[in-house]
Amino acid sequence: MLKFPTRQSLGVLLIVLMGWLCLSPAQAEDTAPPALAKVPLDQRVIDLTNTLDSASKSRMTAQLAGLEQRKGAQVAVMLLPSTGGAGIEDFANQLFRAWKLGRKDVNDGILLLVAKDDRKVRIEVGYGLEGVVTDLLAHRIIEEHITPAFRQGDYAGGVQQAVDDLTVLVEGGNLPEVAKAGIPLEAYAVLLAFILGSVCGVLIAAGKLHWRAALITSVVVTLLLVAVAGGREWPMYLLVLPLCIVIGGATFGALWQARPAFYSLVGLLGYIGGLLLVDRNVAEVSFINWLVWPLVGLLALGLILLLLVLMKSAWKYSRLMFAARLAAVVVAYMFVGHSIDNGADGWLLAVPLCLLAALVLFANGSGGSGSGSSSGGSSSSSSSSSSSSSSGGGGSSGGGGASGSW
């Protein structure tokens, strides 16, 4: 007779299965990738891609050997064609553990891994050096020194610069501050295309330029900008630049119909452009102080002017109700300022809160004037306007470091 398994046997089988599943990742984690198990850590710089010349390898090997003698930290460099489809983070971590980089109880190892054909790079840092070579510093080394050199085909230069940076950090120094990057030529091309479109849009809206002349000018300027700044990506810019011209023309052509909005936007853009010029050529500018706070001030001024208009309308409608609302605002200000209980700062903080409360009160008061009187119409208009607004025995790494691609 066929016997079915009992609940107890099924439970035991389930526990065994779960234990096997839990142990499998741990066993895989401590095992190096099969292809790399045959690569011994018999030298500090291992190049399986034959990219580095013998002089570069000898120089870096001597440099890392000296660093290990002085500080004890063990740094290894490996270049390989590909990780075989594995993520470079997991690949580097498994290799780091298999090679046991760093001293046993210190775990001061670092692995620089370059997957050339995958165009990926990883700096894996042991536990003992995570406070020295932080993830941020490892990312800076990759982004500022390794990948720019790799993009130009200078693999030896990029690896050498990384070895220099890691040596400086392990020795206790700091990386030099990176200079401000210049604005790329492509960005200037996009900006000029937008400005051209804006000017053409305004002239067409003002009746000063025929659309055929604007079209011919846009085509000629687009071809010139693509020839100068397009480079290898010229087909993309052949599409992007005309799009920028159209967006600029449509935006500023429409704004020209509302002159106050047009001049306000032009003034704001001019102010921001001036701040950028000063920041790049004269002195560093705090955009919080010079851009955000002025805008906040203008917004506050606009709200105050709106409140004055609403108060005037409420005064005309009913002086008694005006006095009652004003008294309510004063009482609210006293209550809020006293509740914050932070000295002079508390009373200052109460001002914008009570300003908003006053706007609500006077807007409601001026909006109930009825439809018969002219003052009621004025207040209703005001209300609607207000609401539209080699192994060292270590190998412990927690995944610290950084990755990049080029």
Side-chain angles (χ1 to χ4, degrees):
M1 177 181 286
L2 182 63
K3 294 183 179 181
F4 293 94
T6 62
R7 292 184 179 180
Q8 291 82 356
S9 61
L10 287 175
V12 173
L13 181 61
L14 181 60
I15 293 174
V16 172
L17 180 60
M18 292 178 63
W20 180 79
L21 291 175
C22 293
L23 289 175
S24 295
Q27 293 173 352
E29 186 175 317
D30 293 333
T31 304
L36 294 178
K38 302 177 182 179
V39 181
L41 184 61
D42 55 356
Q43 49 189 326
R44 291 177 173 85
V45 180
I46 300 176
D47 181 15
L48 303 181
T49 63
N50 298 318
T51 300
L52 304 177
D53 57 83
S54 57
S56 299
K57 291 179 61 177
S58 299
R59 183 170 58 252
M60 285 185 276
T61 299
Q63 183 176 352
L64 296 177
L67 177 64
E68 186 172 353
Q69 290 178 358
R70 293 190 303 273
K71 293 293 184 177
Q74 190 175 29
V75 180
V77 177
M78 183 174 188
L79 287 79
L80 74 164
S82 172
T83 60
I88 195 167
E89 292 83 6
D90 294 336
F91 195 95
N93 188 268
Q94 291 176 6
L95 185 60
F96 189 96
R97 293 172 180 269
W99 281 353
K100 302 185 184 300
L101 289 174
R103 291 172 289 182
K104 184 176 182 180
D105 297 326
V106 184
N107 292 309
D108 51 351
I110 299 176
L111 171 63
L112 172 61
L113 179 65
V114 178
K116 186 178 179 181
D117 295 343
D118 296 340
R119 304 178 69 86
K120 292 182 180 180
V121 60
R122 170 75 180 174
I123 298 177
E124 187 76 14
V125 182
Y127 283 122
L129 289 177
E130 286 186 349
V132 177
V133 184
T134 63
D135 294 354
L136 179 60
L137 290 174
H139 180 74
R140 281 189 56 191
I141 293 172
I142 292 174
E143 294 298 320
E144 296 175 9
H145 296 151
I146 298 180
T147 56
F150 284 6
R151 290 190 188 104
Q152 298 175 0
D154 185 12
Y155 292 94
V159 174
Q160 181 63 64
Q161 184 64 60
V163 170
D164 292 342
D165 292 340
L166 293 173
T167 301
V168 169
L169 293 175
V170 174
E171 294 274 18
N174 296 313
L175 294 180
E177 290 296 329
V178 62
K180 288 186 177 180
I183 300 177
L185 191 61
E186 296 84 351
Y188 281 114
V190 172
L191 179 61
L192 288 175
F194 185 82
I195 293 175
L196 173 67
S198 303
V199 173
C200 290
V202 171
L203 293 178
I204 293 175
K208 303 294 185 180
L209 182 67
H210 196 272
W211 67 269
R212 288 192 181 91
L215 178 61
I216 294 173
T217 303
S218 299
V219 170
V220 172
V221 173
T222 297
L223 294 177
L224 289 175
L225 291 176
V226 169
V228 172
R232 297 180 179 178
E233 299 177 347
W234 66 267
M236 181 186 70
Y237 288 100
L238 202 58
L239 297 175
V240 170
L241 296 182
L243 182 61
C244 291
I245 293 175
V246 171
I247 293 174
T251 302
F252 281 85
L255 285 172
W256 180 255
Q257 309 302 324
R259 304 298 171 81
F262 173 80
Y263 290 121
S264 298
L265 181 59
V266 170
L268 177 61
L269 293 177
Y271 179 71
I272 295 174
L275 290 178
L276 291 173
L277 289 176
V278 172
D279 182 65
R280 296 194 63 84
N281 301 315
V282 180
E284 186 174 356
V285 173
S286 173
F287 285 89
I288 294 294
N289 295 330
W290 288 95
L291 183 60
V292 175
W293 291 120
L295 291 177
V296 171
L298 290 174
L299 177 61
L301 180 61
L303 292 176
I304 291 173
L305 293 176
L306 176 61
L307 177 60
L308 292 176
V309 172
L310 294 175
M311 291 175 69
K312 181 180 178 180
S313 177
W315 174 266
K316 290 181 179 180
Y317 175 65
S318 172
R319 297 184 180 182
L320 180 61
M321 295 302 296
F322 174 86
R325 288 178 171 82
L326 184 60
V329 171
V330 173
V331 171
Y333 176 72
M334 301 296 293
F335 176 77
V336 173
H338 186 268
S339 298
I340 294 177
D341 193 19
N342 195 23
D345 293 337
W347 293 102
L348 289 175
L349 183 60
V351 172
L353 299 176
C354 291
L355 175 62
L356 295 176
L359 282 170
V360 173
L361 285 174
F362 283 99
N364 291 333
S366 62
S369 60
S371 59
S373 65
S374 61
S375 64
S378 173
S379 64
S380 175
S381 174
S382 300
S383 175
S384 63
S385 65
S386 67
S387 62
S388 62
S389 326
S390 87
S391 171
S396 294
S397 169
S403 307
S405 59
W406 69 95

